[in-house]
Structures are given as structure tokens and as C-alpha cells.
Amino acid sequence: MSGELDFEGPASYVGRSVSRPNARRLAEGRGQYVDDIVLPRMLHVAFVRSPHAHARILSIDTSRAERMPGVRRVATGADIARICKPYVGVLTHLAGMRSPPQHPLALEVARWQGEPVVAVAAESRAEAEDACEAVEIAWQELPAALDAERALEPGATVIHAEFGDNLCFRRVVDTGGVDEAFAGAAAVVEDTLSFGRHTGVTLEPRSMLADYNAAEESLTAYHSGQSPHMMQAILASRLGLDEHRVRIVCRDVGGSFGIKIHIYGDEMAACALSIMLRRPVKFVADRHESFLSDIHARDHRVRARLAADREGNVLALEIDDLTGVGPYSMYPRSSAVECNQVLGLTGGPYRHKRYRATGTVVFQNKNPMSQYRAVGHPIATAVAEHMIDRAARALALDPADMRRRNLIPDDAYPCQSPSGMRFEQLSHHACLEKLVALMDYPRLRAGQAALRAQGVHRGIGLASFIEVTNPSPMFYGVGGARIAAQDGCTMRLDASGAIIAATGVTEQGQGTETMIAQIAATVLGVQMSCVKVLTGDTDKVPYGGGTWASRAAGIGGEAVLQAGLALKKNILEVGARILKTDAGSLDIADGRVVKRGTSEGLSLTELARIVYYRGNELPADFQPELVVTRHYRVKDYPFVFTNGAQGCLAEIDPETGFVRVLKMWCVDDCGRVINPKLVEEQIRGGIVQGLGGALTEHCRYDERGQLLNCTMADYLVPMAGEMPDIEVAHIQTPTRTSLLGAKGAGEAGTGGAPGALMNAVNDALAAFGARVTSQPITPDVVLAALGKI
Amino acid sequence: MKAPRFAYARPATLEGALALLAAHGEEARVLAGGQSLVAMLNLRVAAPRVLVDINRVPGLGEVALGESCVRIGALARHAELERSELVARHLPLLARAVRHIAHPAIRNRGTFGGSCALADPAAELPACALALGAKLVLRGARGERRVAAGEFFRGLYETALEAGELLVAAEFPLPGPASASAFGELARRHGDYALVGLAAYAQRDGPALRDVRLAFFGVADRPVLAARAAAVLEGRRVDEATLARAVAALDLEPRGDLHASAATRRRLAGVLLERVVKELAQ
Ligand SMILES: Cc1cc2nc3c(=O)[nH]c(=O)nc-3n(C[C@H](O)[C@H](O)[C@H](O)COP(=O)(O)OP(=O)(O)OC[C@H]3O[C@@H](n4cnc5c(N)ncnc54)[C@H](O)[C@@H]3O)c2cc1C
């Protein structure tokens, strides 16, 4: 059947930079985000959040708040707990991991500043906020465990007494032979690297509009999310509803980046309030509470050592990763996956055989930390690439040559990394060579030396990386989470001749719907304008996982392709009856069923008209089926890895410690590229997010566990003015795990950029015998490295 | 982030505005460009009972050339200062500084008077007013008074404005033909409040500088003149040795915050001094 798929031909939309059909609607302000939806009798909820990092609730007095104008209900943790069961954020395949049951609102003890404690539902958000100020809570402040480094020390405040200490998860990977390799090495380099906390900052904040219908015991939840069926399963089970009576609708979603795949107490409380009040209840996080409650990410301290022989062959790598994840592991994906990924991915592009990695995840009294775009990848890549550059410098090798020597050869696949990651087919060398050509690396190096003589300090950084995409059930399902790894597509030919494709993957602004339409139109041989894509509604789309872990194109796209092939087959069977020939001699081209190689035939419009209205013209023993559903899951590998290489040119001002990124390059291999423009914009956006975390974004806590920067003025997201040109190119190694051959591209930019940038900064600092080892790389960090403050 | 309830008035005359301010005293707040105040309302860090919107008060936005000064009306938008030929010709320091304020959309609304009345210690315009020796013109029910910039900025978000008073304009003395000014600031992102900034003014006297005024911002609770460093430069030609002595004479004691430590700020102030004064001397 694959022979029928012609992705290279002129009629293929796959491989073309088709612009997004939904862009105009969004640009004209006709998008529909949760906050745009207004239902009759709708209430708004606002939350009283814990002002303390760790405190016992002695008493809550809601009486004054209840009398405030517009207030319809003031609910405490105990009130909500009567409606909503607690949840536990552990995955069983992460052995030994633990986290206590978590309730939507704090019950007796609040464990981070910003944890929701009391919910106020009122006629308007402003009235709800007014009443929040009138809720009186008597607190007994408790000592807080804030510093991950000290969370396991004897005498540390234990956040969950029942556990005895603050350990959430620990894992060790050891191939054996590491100590021996270090003992015999010509060069050993080591460093301790740290990566600050940052967060996702979606343009549209987290939002939930819950509409409980008591008459049918059903709940419709309009949600700004990326995994509708996961939400459906969780809302049903936690709220005691039948799953099929819970409908999740995700219309337009203004970015999510992993922020919106988790269960948040405020959103659960909004649903519980809707049940309690039998009215629609809307929660839209404001920017301030987003900073206090959207998951944070990263926050790692990694000790790393690398051993190499005299020629520069890496012999062994050792890392010890410590990460603090807040007081609870997030439900249902847990907060240990990031650390687990760091262990799995660090050094993954390279040939060495000896690897030891220890990961320790601890609880602390800060906002929960969990999966955010490129989970673990930026850490894994920055650590390994930093160590590779350190070794290259120690051995006086060029960083590009160091990589050429150590990257897994492109003809060595399939193979497995020392941590057990299985690679189907990667292209590290092809990507690196294309990258250095694109950068004109030798010229950059020459220019660097010349400029240095003039007092201009530029650095060049490289980073080779791998990316986890297209996850199989081995990611979450195996650990007991009700998160689908398979995805489906229901495709139909309507009476007008239009193609309607309903898919389980979702659109958050990245162009999923465009990509789906391109595949459907190509497989069916119709104009893209004839294809309508439905996403984000559990009542309307087949069961699926949604969009995360760079899975929408690779998995959702393949389901579309399979559905398209099946629908095409059915259409051709109808065509064969009408044209009185055999189906094998027919094809669909430009919206018409034609005899192969001719234009003779009939349009899909005509065919549909006959099927739907004039069935009498068809043979009596033939029943056309113009609706099909197909599903797909990755079977042969736990994940389908992608790879790539990034380059960075940065300039440092050694007097001020300021870093300016002058240019970024990325060569990415995401398999078959369905839409080059969309892939490139994913890479660019990803790089910008990676640079943000590496340069400016930082959730800063004081010694009492107060988050100090909860506004966009104090939390510095990168702005266009500071961002460099980003040049993107592709290597295409289609995966053989699917007919489509697409892998993911959503996280490659974010995964690679921090490492490339840090290497560029250190390349510039090398002239001063200095280096930085912590991110974000602020003027404080650079000046301290230079010994100037 | 919804503002608490407030009453709103939009007087059409200066007298009307002053009467409202007098009547409501501490409970009233002037609304100019709203670029700071509206955010403060939404964050509930300000909760005035009455907002007195001065945007309809005629004449408050004028930029005019007088005999001995340039008068900038309180309601002059940042964007107007950016475009004004008069400002470019007579107050080039202001024209340069204003481009560092936020972003075009904010500059379209934000006002000169709002920036001065807010008195953010890292704001550009108050430092320019200080460097250029401007006088701020305040009007209250009892009449008008003029306060020198050096006395107007009293501390963190604190000014000489009294309850019921409105800032109506600032008067910048017309600089002479030998006047020079230079400006620099260091911010992580263009448009952010500066980590450290410097608005500098001097008279050129051959190769030497006189009447040097170095107004730093972002290093204290208000814009401050680095008098000791200026004294080092006074009457001397600007060379590396003099600059180094001026930097050494800087007696700023910036506090560390989220964006930079005290040590970094001190260092940045020295770097800026060198860079900006070199430009001043050119
Ligand atoms: C994203 C962002 C970035 C910014 N970056 C910068 C920056 O880099 N540098 C900078 O300087 N500013 C910056 N600002 C602030 C901006 O310049 C504001 O416009 C300015 O500080 C206040 O001016 P306004 O006219 O908006 O005043 P409003 O917000 O209306 O008022 C501010 C305060 O001044 C009082 N007030 C206003 N006018 C008068 C008056 N005539 N008499 C008495 N009291 C008065 C008000 O009552 C209020 O207390 C930024 C703002 C934003 C939103």
C-alpha cells in the first residue's frame, strides 16, 4: 500500500510549507479560548492561596466573605474534598517513587506559597477577588524545606511525616567499568552544573470552565489543555462521574508547553464547585497565580565527570543529578520523569560504553515542578555538551572534531545507549556536518580570533542532541497512568464531497490541524481546502493521547494516514461499482475518482451524492462505508528518537557580564518533514524558550520560600529584540516504525539551545581562563566567573 | 487580577481636577497614561476610592519653548518627546533617554508627568530632570509652586507632591551652546527598567568638562547625582587616568535585587560612568 503514497510528487501537500488555515481566524480575533466562552448562570472562581511556604491552617473564617456582594459559595479544602477524591502522582514503573495523596485545596497544612486553600465562587471575578480578601485564615508558620541540597540532611524539615524524609525518587544507572575507565584515562574533567527553575508562561493562562448538568449527571469541561481524554478519565474518576458523561472540550489553546498536561487543584476545585452549585464555574488563572501555581521546571544540580583518552575518545561519563520538585509529585505524570530523562539521555549521542548516573528527586516547599517542553533534555544536553567541550579543551582538540570522533556513526544503527535507550536510526554526523557548513564554522573561528584582538569577545558553541518523540505505551501507560499512547482518526467523506478528519491529537497553536489536513489531503488526493479537521472534543474525536512528547505528527499523523488509506479504499470500491470497473484500476486525483493514468471518472462530490441520496443506483448487494476509523501506536520501540545539532554564536561584554546571542543554527532530523515552515517555527520557538531559561528566566525564591517574581516585569521571558536570527535546516531520516515516517520536532529547539549557548559563552570566556556552570547566565554569573565581583 | 471598585471622574478643566483632588485628598489618585497605575490597581497594590483622569484637561500635554526654558507638560506622552523636534534640538538627552522606556505601545500612553510622579528609582526621565536641573511645577488648590528635581524625588515612589497637588509641567533650563549630554543604561532586555543608568550633562570647555552632573538611576531609592565622581572630572580633560579616578570616587551604594547583585550594580555603574563620560567629552 505504501507504494501508493507519493510524498514527493507535485500533488503532495506533505513536504510543503502550506500556511495554516486557522491562522486567519486567530489573527482576526475569532479564536475561542476558554475565557471567551460565556454560559448562562456562569460563576467565576478565585482562590485564597497560601501566603506561606509551609504552614498549618489553624482556622478558616469564611463568614465575612460569604456576605460580600455577588458571592455564591466559599469553599474550603474540606468542602471540596467531599466532592473530589485525592490523587497520587506516582508512576509504578519508576520503582520506589512516592508522593502522598494530594487534594485540590490544602487541608490541614499548606506546603507551598501559592497552594490554593479556599475557593470563592461569585458572579464576577472581581467580586470573587474582593471576597478572597475577606477570608480570614489563622496560620501557624512551619519551618520550610527549600534547598534541595539539604532536603535529605538529618534534621531537615520533613514535608510528609509519613515518609520519614523528603525523598521522592532515586535511581541509579550503572553499566559497570566506570571507575576503571576513569582510572586509566588521559584526561578527566569534572564540574558541578546548576540549572535554575523556570516556567512555561503560556500566552493563554490555564483555564477551566466546568458545566455540571445535574439532570444527566454530566460534566462538560471547557479546558485549556493538551490531553482531553486524559482529563476525561481523571475528572470522571476523581469526581465520581461516569466517564462517558464527562466531556472535555479544548477549543483554541494559547500555548501549553507541557504546563497544561497536569492536574491542578484550582481546576479540580472549579469542577467540584460546578457540581456543588449546579452552575457553570469558570476559572481563568491570572498571571500572578500562574507564576505561583503553573508547574515550574528544571531546577537541577548535576555533578558530572568525563574521562577521555589521549586521542579524545570518550571512555566514560558519570553524572549525579539532584532535583527538587516541590511538595508533591504532579498527578498523573509525576515529577520524576524529568530526572529520569536526564539519566536516560545524558551523553546519548556518543559512543562511550561506560556510564554511571544517579538521580535523586526530593520534596521541598516550593511550587511543584514537572514536565515542561523538552523534559530533561536541556539538562542532559547542556551537561554532556559542556563536558565534551571541557574535554576537547583539555586535550587541545577542536570541539567539532571532538564530536566527529565521538558521535555514534550514522551507519551503526540500530543500537542502544549505555543507559538503555534504543535508537532506530539517527544521523548525528550528517547533522553536524550540515551544521558546520551552514555556520561556516572555519570562517567563524578565524573571525573570532581576529575580533578578539580588537577586544570583541565572541564564542562559538555546538551541541549535538537526541530527542524523545513518538512515545509508546512504555512512557506512561506502563506506569499505570490513564494516558493513551495510541491515537485515532475518524475520517469521513461527507455528502458534499468534503473530507472530515477527527483526530485525538490536539492543536495548541503549533499547527497540528494544518499538518493533519496536509496528510489527509495527500493520501486522499483532494485539495486541502476540502478537508476539515476536528480536534479537542472527547465527544467527537476518537480516543487518543493528545499532544505532548512531540507525538502529534508522528502518532496522530500516522493514524490520519491509515484512516485516509482505508477511506480511499472504500471510496474506490464505490467508484468501481459506479464506473463498472475494478477498484484496482482506479485512483483519486484532484478530488476525482479516475481510471489510473486518465482523467476519466467522477468527482468525489458526485460519488458522495450517489452514495447518500441515490443509493438506488448502486448494486443492491453493496453497502458503501464512507466513515472509517484507524488507530496507531508505536510498537517496535519505546520511543522514536530524533537527533540534531545546534550552533550558537554569542558575544560577551567582559566589563558588564552581558551576553548577546548573535545567531543560532539548528539542523534537525525529525524524519519526514510534513510542513517545513511549521517544523522550523517549532524549532525557532523552542530555541527561544531554551535561550530564555538559559539566560533570563528564573523563578526566584527568598529564604522563606516566597516567590519573588510573579509578574512579567520581574520574570524575564525573552523578547524578540534580544533574540538572534535562527537558521534551521533539515536532515530527513524517516522512521520505519510508521508509513508516514515522521518523528517529532516540538522539543528539539528547547532541548539543544541551553547547551549550545553555554558552550558559546564558555568559548568566549576561555580567553580569560573563566567558565560559567550555572544557568540562567546572568551578569552576576558572568562577572563572578570573571572574578570581577 | 481585577481592580477593586473605584469611582471615576474625568474633569474637563484644571480647576475641576484640582477641586476633585482637594475634595478627596488621600483617597484620590490621578490617572494619566495609566501604564503604571492600572497595573497597580489590578495587582491590588493601589486601591484608591476615586480616580481623577486628567487626560481631558486642556493644555497639560504641551511641549513649548520659553525664553529661558523648555516647558514639558505633564501629559506629554513619551512618544511625543521621542518625536518632538523641539526636544531633539534643545534637550537631546531626553530624546535619547525616552527610547529606552518600555515599548512603543506603552510610550504612546505613558506620560512625562506620570513617570515623574511615580518616581520609580530606575526610571529614565526623573534622572534626566535631575541631570538637566529641571524644575517641576506643582499646582494645588492654594496655587502653584516650583520644586527643583533634586528636591522633588524624595525616595522610593516618593515625591514632594502633596495630597491634592497635581504635577502640571517641568521646566528645563535652555542649555547653552557648549552644553553636552550623554546617556547610557544597562538593561537585560530592551525596554526594561535599567539595572543601572546614567544621564550625564556638562559644559565643554576646550578639552575639559565643567558643571558636570552625573545622574545615576537604578542604584538608589531615587535618581542620585554622583557628586564626588563629578568633582574629579570637573575642569579636567577626560583621559583614562581621570576616568579611573572618577570611577574610584563613585560613592553609590546600590542594593542587590532580583536582577543584579549590589556588587554587579556597583561595577556596572563604574562601567557606565566610563562609557558615558567618554561620550560626553567627544
Ligand atoms: C511593560 C512596561 C515597561 C515599562 N518600562 C519603563 C521603563 O523602562 N522606564 C520607565 O521610566 N518607565 C517604564 N514604564 C512605566 C511607564 O513609563 C509609565 O507610563 C510611567 O511610569 C507612568 O506614566 P503614566 O502616564 O502611565 O502614569 P499613570 O500610570 O497614570 O500614573 C502613575 C502614577 O503617577 C501619578 N500621576 C500621574 N500623573 C500625575 C500628575 N500629573 N500629577 C500627579 N500625579 C500623577 C498617578 O496617580 C500614579 O500614582 C513601563 C511600563 C510598562 C507597562
Side-chain angles (χ1 to χ4, degrees):
Chain A
M1 233 186 304
S2 60
E4 284 191 23
L5 289 170
D6 178 9
F7 292 132
E8 268 77 50
S12 176
Y13 287 98
V14 170
R16 277 166 52 190
S17 292
V18 179
S19 50
R20 313 179 193 198
N22 61 7
R24 178 165 171 204
R25 180 169 58 80
L26 298 175
E28 290 190 0
R30 298 306 302 265
Q32 199 175 41
Y33 301 91
V34 173
D35 201 33
D36 295 318
I37 303 170
V38 176
L39 300 179
R41 303 175 62 248
M42 184 176 84
L43 298 175
H44 299 260
V45 61
F47 293 88
V48 180
R49 294 175 183 273
S50 172
H52 303 296
H54 198 191
R56 184 170 299 285
I57 302 169
L58 299 176
S59 65
I60 301 179
D61 182 355
T62 60
S63 54
R64 200 157 66 82
E66 275 158 16
R67 293 192 303 271
M68 301 271 291
V71 172
R72 296 293 166 258
R73 183 71 188 237
V74 183
T76 63
D79 298 329
I80 299 294
R82 277 191 278 279
I83 306 281
C84 180
K85 295 190 199 79
Y87 31 91
V88 179
V90 300
L91 292 167
T92 56
H93 66 306
L94 299 180
M97 159 171 209
R98 55 193 192 170
S99 184
Q102 187 180 4
H103 289 272
L105 307 182
L107 289 183
E108 282 144 23
V109 176
R111 295 186 170 86
W112 84 89
Q113 178 225 0
E115 181 173 5
V117 181
V118 174
V120 178
E123 296 291 340
S124 73
R125 170 84 189 202
E127 286 169 328
E129 286 184 28
D130 286 345
C132 282
E133 290 181 357
V135 172
E136 280 156 33
I137 304 178
W139 295 100
Q140 178 198 354
E141 227 185 309
L142 302 171
L146 298 167
D147 184 355
E149 294 270 10
R150 302 174 58 187
L152 298 178
E153 281 178 4
T157 299
V158 175
I159 298 173
H160 305 291
E162 63 274 32
F163 291 157
D165 63 28
N166 290 320
L167 185 67
C168 170
F169 175 64
R170 175 167 279 150
R171 185 182 159 208
V172 177
V173 177
D174 193 350
T175 59
V178 172
D179 293 330
E180 294 80 347
F182 272 95
V188 172
V189 285
E190 62 180 287
D191 249 328
T192 299
L193 297 119
S194 63
F195 301 87
R197 273 183 171 239
H198 49 266
T199 183
V201 197
T202 56
L203 209 50
E204 180 203 22
R206 290 188 297 106
S207 316
M208 165 71 83
L209 168 52
D211 184 13
Y212 177 70
N213 182 333
E216 47 181 38
E217 292 179 39
S218 70
L219 176 71
T220 303
Y222 302 89
H223 185 226
S224 180
Q226 47 187 118
S227 198
H229 284 102
M230 179 199 91
M231 282 307 285
Q232 179 189 43
I234 290 172
L235 289 189
S237 81
R238 296 305 84 192
L239 298 167
L241 300 168
D242 288 336
E243 199 163 310
H244 61 282
R245 282 185 235 283
V246 174
R247 177 181 173 201
I248 310 293
V249 183
C250 301
R251 292 191 181 155
D252 291 310
V253 175
S256 52
F257 317 119
I259 300 299
K260 298 174 180 172
I261 44 170
H262 310 287
I263 293 300
Y264 291 92
D266 41 29
E267 296 174 21
M268 296 302 279
C271 295
L273 276 166
S274 179
I275 294 175
M276 289 159 77
L277 295 164
R278 303 185 167 206
R279 293 176 70 163
V281 174
K282 180 187 274 185
F283 168 65
V284 178
D286 66 32
R287 195 54 73 186
H288 191 260
E289 60 191 341
S290 295
F291 281 113
L292 288 170
S293 63
D294 288 7
I295 56 118
H296 292 175
R298 319 305 179 213
D299 203 357
H300 293 255
R301 187 276 292 136
V302 184
R303 292 203 189 92
R305 292 206 298 154
L306 182 145
D309 68 14
R310 209 170 303 282
E311 285 73 48
N313 297 300
V314 176
L315 303 174
L317 179 63
E318 176 171 22
I319 63 164
D320 177 349
D321 178 28
L322 170 73
T323 173
V325 294
Y328 296 94
S329 168
M330 285 301 279
Y331 180 68
R333 290 166 196 254
S334 93
S335 299
V337 168
E338 163 118 340
C339 174
N340 203 47
Q341 299 267 68
V342 172
L343 267 52
L345 302 177
T346 303
Y350 298 103
R351 277 189 302 116
H352 61 284
K353 296 276 180 292
R354 310 272 177 243
Y355 180 57
R356 183 162 58 211
T358 308
T360 308
V361 178
V362 297
F363 295 118
Q364 56 183 173
N365 292 112
K366 291 181 182 173
N367 184 34
M369 209 266 329
S370 194
Q371 282 86 310
Y372 163 57
R373 193 174 196 173
V375 188
H377 293 66
I379 313 302
T381 304
V383 168
E385 296 306 299
H386 175 76
M387 299 314 286
I388 289 281
D389 270 24
R390 290 270 336 265
R393 191 164 297 284
L395 294 162
L397 290 171
D398 179 89
D401 289 336
M402 182 76 185
R403 287 173 175 77
R404 288 188 178 105
R405 175 174 288 276
N406 284 288
L407 288 166
I408 299 172
D410 291 356
D411 60 2
Y413 298 93
C415 66
Q416 192 164 326
S417 79
S419 66
M421 298 285 144
R422 290 172 56 208
F423 304 132
E424 181 205 20
Q425 176 68 57
L426 302 178
S427 57
H428 286 300
H429 289 268
C431 286
L432 180 66
E433 295 313 328
K434 192 158 184 170
L435 179 77
V436 297
L438 208 60
M439 295 170 76
D440 202 348
Y441 184 76
R443 195 180 58 86
L444 276 186
R445 281 273 173 231
Q448 178 187 31
L451 284 168
R452 194 167 283 159
Q454 298 165 29
V456 175
H457 296 277
R458 292 192 176 168
I460 302 160
L462 300 176
S464 289
F465 62 88
I466 49 176
E467 185 199 347
V468 169
T469 78
N470 296 10
S472 79
M474 301 307 283
F475 206 1
Y476 290 117
V478 67
R482 297 185 59 190
I483 301 167
Q486 63 88 54
D487 235 286
C489 174
T490 296
M491 205 183 289
R492 65 177 198 256
L493 177 67
D494 262 7
S496 67
I499 302 294
I500 316 294
T503 167
V505 296
T506 52
E507 165 84 54
Q508 287 104 238
Q510 71 281 66
T512 299
E513 293 178 358
T514 307
M515 170 275 291
I516 298 285
Q518 284 179 263
I519 296 169
T522 302
V523 174
L524 281 164
V526 301
Q527 296 280 324
M528 225 177 108
S529 57
C530 302
V531 181
K532 176 171 173 171
V533 179
L534 303 177
T535 62
D537 186 338
T538 54
D539 269 6
K540 292 188 180 151
V541 305
Y543 207 91
T547 300
W548 40 271
S550 297
R551 70 186 293 282
I555 293 177
E558 177 70 5
V560 172
L561 180 148
Q562 295 293 346
L565 290 175
L567 180 60
K568 179 174 176 182
K569 182 161 172 283
N570 291 3
I571 289 170
L572 293 184
E573 275 173 18
V574 178
R577 298 305 197 289
I578 297 170
L579 296 171
K580 305 208 177 353
T581 176
D582 66 293
S585 67
L586 298 177
D587 198 1
I588 309 178
D590 201 15
R592 290 168 54 79
V593 174
V594 292
K595 294 201 172 128
R596 276 179 199 282
T598 74
S599 59
E600 197 183 318
L602 82 169
S603 69
L604 288 183
T605 310
E606 178 63 8
L607 180 142
R609 190 183 66 83
I610 293 171
V611 168
Y612 288 108
Y613 306 126
R614 306 181 64 126
N616 57 309
E617 292 177 10
L618 293 168
D621 61 352
F622 176 69
Q623 178 57 52
E625 290 296 349
L626 296 183
V627 185
V628 302
T629 298
R630 287 294 181 274
H631 292 85
Y632 172 72
R633 72 172 197 281
V634 175
K635 301 173 216 40
D636 324 312
Y637 284 87
F639 314 99
V640 180
F641 272 92
T642 72
N643 68 283
Q646 288 193 25
C648 173
L649 179 68
E651 186 171 308
I652 59 160
D653 179 339
E655 297 307 314
T656 62
F658 275 54
V659 173
R660 202 150 60 93
V661 188
L662 301 175
K663 178 108 194 218
M664 293 290 298
W665 296 263
C666 179
V667 179
D668 185 55
D669 183 349
C670 64
R672 182 172 319 284
V673 174
I674 299 164
N675 185 321
K677 182 156 71 180
L678 289 180
V679 170
E680 285 156 23
E681 293 316 314
Q682 279 298 298
I683 303 269
R684 289 198 179 95
I687 285 176
V688 168
Q689 268 179 319
L691 292 179
L695 276 175
T696 52
E697 294 184 54
H698 200 184
C699 300
R700 297 279 296 273
Y701 281 88
D702 71 7
E703 64 290 344
R704 291 179 64 196
Q706 298 286 316
L707 183 60
L708 299 172
N709 45 350
C710 295
T711 70
M712 298 292 284
D714 283 331
Y715 181 91
L716 309 183
V717 295
M719 309 268 268
E722 280 70 40
M723 286 296 105
D725 260 3
I726 302 171
E727 208 172 320
V728 183
H730 311 275
I731 294 284
Q732 298 197 44
T733 310
T735 171
R736 288 182 294 271
T737 56
S738 69
L739 272 184
L740 182 61
K743 313 176 195 176
E747 299 167 280
T750 312
L757 172 73
M758 190 154 77
N759 280 352
V761 170
N762 282 334
D763 188 45
L765 287 174
F768 302 91
R771 67 176 183 274
V772 297
T773 51
S774 73
Q775 297 186 2
I777 304 171
T778 62
D780 281 350
V781 168
V782 175
L783 290 175
L786 287 165
K788 292 195 170 164
I789 56 168
Chain B
M1 286 215 254
K2 304 285 182 211
R5 271 173 205 284
F6 52 80
Y8 171 84
R10 193 170 59 193
T13 62
L14 187 55
E15 292 66 34
L18 290 173
L20 279 163
L21 291 177
H24 296 281
E26 300 280 359
E27 299 202 318
R29 204 75 183 256
V30 174
L31 175 69
Q35 297 304 295
S36 298
L37 183 54
V38 172
M40 282 151 58
L41 293 173
N42 286 341
L43 284 164
R44 295 186 175 227
V45 295
R49 285 277 187 80
V50 185
L51 280 193
V52 179
D53 181 344
I54 57 170
N55 284 277
R56 291 281 171 90
V57 174
L60 271 189
E62 273 172 24
V63 177
L65 183 61
E67 263 180 32
S68 60
C69 71
V70 178
R71 186 182 160 105
I72 295 184
L75 264 186
R77 314 280 166 185
H78 301 328
E80 285 165 25
L81 302 185
E82 204 178 341
R83 284 192 302 259
S84 159
E85 274 183 32
L86 208 155
V87 169
R89 183 150 9 108
H90 298 288
L91 305 174
L93 182 65
L94 234 53
R96 276 192 61 184
V98 80
R99 293 191 188 98
H100 291 268
I101 302 177
H103 310 284
I106 294 160
R107 295 202 288 271
N108 281 341
R109 295 295 307 163
T111 65
F112 178 85
S115 282
C116 290
L118 183 68
D120 188 298
E124 288 81 0
L125 295 176
C128 292
L130 184 62
L132 298 177
K135 283 200 170 61
L136 296 134
V137 185
L138 319 186
R139 267 286 261 285
R142 279 166 309 178
E144 197 170 271
R145 60 187 180 119
R146 282 175 170 65
V147 181
E151 271 95 60
F152 181 80
F153 301 104
R154 293 257 170 104
L156 188 64
Y157 305 118
E158 236 187 271
T159 67
L161 275 166
E162 279 165 20
E165 262 185 328
L166 192 66
L167 174 62
V168 289
E171 291 170 352
F172 287 80
L174 269 179
S179 305
S181 64
F183 183 89
E185 75 170 56
L186 291 162
R188 296 296 310 282
R189 304 178 304 180
H190 183 87
D192 281 353
Y193 281 107
L195 297 180
V196 179
L198 172 56
Y201 167 87
Q203 298 281 338
R204 284 208 194 105
D205 180 2
L209 296 179
R210 296 199 186 279
D211 296 337
V212 183
R213 290 169 71 88
L214 305 174
F216 277 91
F217 52 104
V219 294
D221 63 353
R222 67 196 89 172
V224 287
L225 288 175
R228 284 182 47 203
V232 171
L233 298 169
E234 191 66 36
R236 296 213 169 74
R237 96 188 286 136
V238 175
D239 53 26
E240 296 293 336
T242 311
L243 279 173
R245 284 205 298 123
V247 171
L250 268 182
D251 50 358
L252 305 171
E253 282 181 24
R255 301 233 319 234
D257 69 3
L258 274 175
H259 304 296
S261 66
T264 292
R265 280 209 157 83
R266 247 193 321 273
R267 178 171 177 85
L268 297 185
V271 174
L272 266 185
L273 186 149
E274 282 190 34
R275 293 181 180 174
V276 171
V277 171
K278 267 186 198 161
E279 196 193 313
L280 199 57
Q282 270 165 18

